[in-house]
Amino acid sequence: MATRDYGQYCGVTRGLELVGERWALLIVRDLLVGPRRYGELAAGLPRIPSNILAARLKELQAAGVIRRVPRSRVIIYELTPYGRELEPIVLALGAWGFKAMGEPREEQVITPDSMTMALRTAFRPQVAMTLPPTAYGAHLGPADLLIRVDGAALAVTRGDGPVDLAFSAGPGIRRLISGELAPDRAIATGVVEVLRGPGDLLGRFASTFHLAA
């Protein structure tokens, strides 16, 4: 377990002792997308020192949050059922932090896993249930994501496939998801580039994925 001890008998305190060390929740965030090899975790967190990644994985294992599993002759890391209980907490934290994101700094990057979780955070199933099933191909920086919405069901995977709308955007997509920029203005100003399909479907995307800033 993490070495930090706040000396208080409290659930919040205990939770911070287990996952409050730097990088710990980002490891959990990426594992909420799916199991990962050590190298995949390192690639998704490009600034984490290797010794810190190793230490956090060991601490999270000791806390019963993640586990090491042999699969096809390699070791992968995955969340335990106890670890998966962190999902609504991570999503709520993401929605809260979204309000303070502001404009991206030059050195900040988008990763496929971070964008997947951002979409899961912004997803509005109650709105999606009123709309036809739609597949989107989103090229978000280095993240190429296939986003399938069918009623209240959302599936986000890496790669390409048949889609109703394919578009490209950078970190400025935050302005579309927040409602700061209307879909037609996002296209007109170049924040979003429509690659394939009718551009008016971007309005459906913005209705389906929304977070108040």
Side-chain angles (χ1 to χ4, degrees), residues 107-188:
E107 72 277 10
Q108 290 183 313
V109 300
I110 290 175
T111 68
D113 287 346
S114 70
M115 199 64 227
T116 296
M117 290 304 293
L119 289 168
R120 283 163 62 173
T121 301
F123 181 54
R124 299 199 291 178
Q126 71 279 13
V127 173
M129 289 177 66
T130 68
L131 298 170
T134 312
Y136 305 94
H139 302 272
L140 305 169
D144 289 337
L145 300 177
L146 180 58
I147 306 160
R148 294 187 180 93
V149 180
D150 189 353
L154 169 66
V156 183
T157 56
R158 298 190 192 187
D160 296 315
V163 297
D164 300 292
L165 173 68
F167 65 89
S168 175
I173 195 172
R174 176 193 66 83
R175 299 172 63 197
L176 177 68
I177 291 175
S178 69
E180 178 185 339
L181 199 61
D184 57 344
R185 288 296 299 158
I187 295 172

Side-chain angles (χ1 to χ4, degrees), residues 2-65:
T3 56
R4 179 174 294 175
D5 183 346
Y6 292 101
Q8 295 185 16
Y9 189 65
C10 162
V12 174
T13 299
R14 188 61 183 139
L16 285 173
E17 288 171 354
L18 296 179
V19 297
E21 294 286 351
R22 191 177 185 198
W23 297 105
L25 271 182
L26 293 184
I27 293 171
V28 170
R29 178 202 66 187
D30 288 2
L31 291 179
L32 281 167
V33 178
R36 295 286 181 266
R37 297 192 300 270
Y38 182 94
E40 291 172 329
L41 287 169
L45 301 168
R47 287 195 175 188
I48 190 171
S50 58
N51 63 317
I52 298 299
L53 176 56
R56 293 295 170 266
L57 290 173
K58 184 177 180 181
E59 292 162 0
L60 290 169
Q61 288 177 73
V65 175

Side-chain angles (χ1 to χ4, degrees), residues 48-116:
I48 190 171
S50 58
N51 63 317
I52 298 299
L53 176 56
R56 293 295 170 266
L57 290 173
K58 184 177 180 181
E59 292 162 0
L60 290 169
Q61 288 177 73
V65 175
I66 69 173
R67 60 192 170 203
R68 297 170 80 246
V69 180
R71 182 177 297 177
S72 300
R73 300 183 180 179
V74 298
I75 297 295
I76 64 165
Y77 294 87
E78 65 180 16
L79 293 169
T80 63
Y82 180 52
R84 293 206 66 85
E85 291 177 16
L86 285 164
E87 181 167 5
I89 298 168
V90 172
L91 294 179
L93 183 61
W96 183 74
F98 183 83
K99 300 175 186 293
M101 281 178 63
E103 294 301 316
R105 298 190 300 274
E106 185 176 345
E107 72 277 10
Q108 290 183 313
V109 300
I110 290 175
T111 68
D113 287 346
S114 70
M115 199 64 227
T116 296

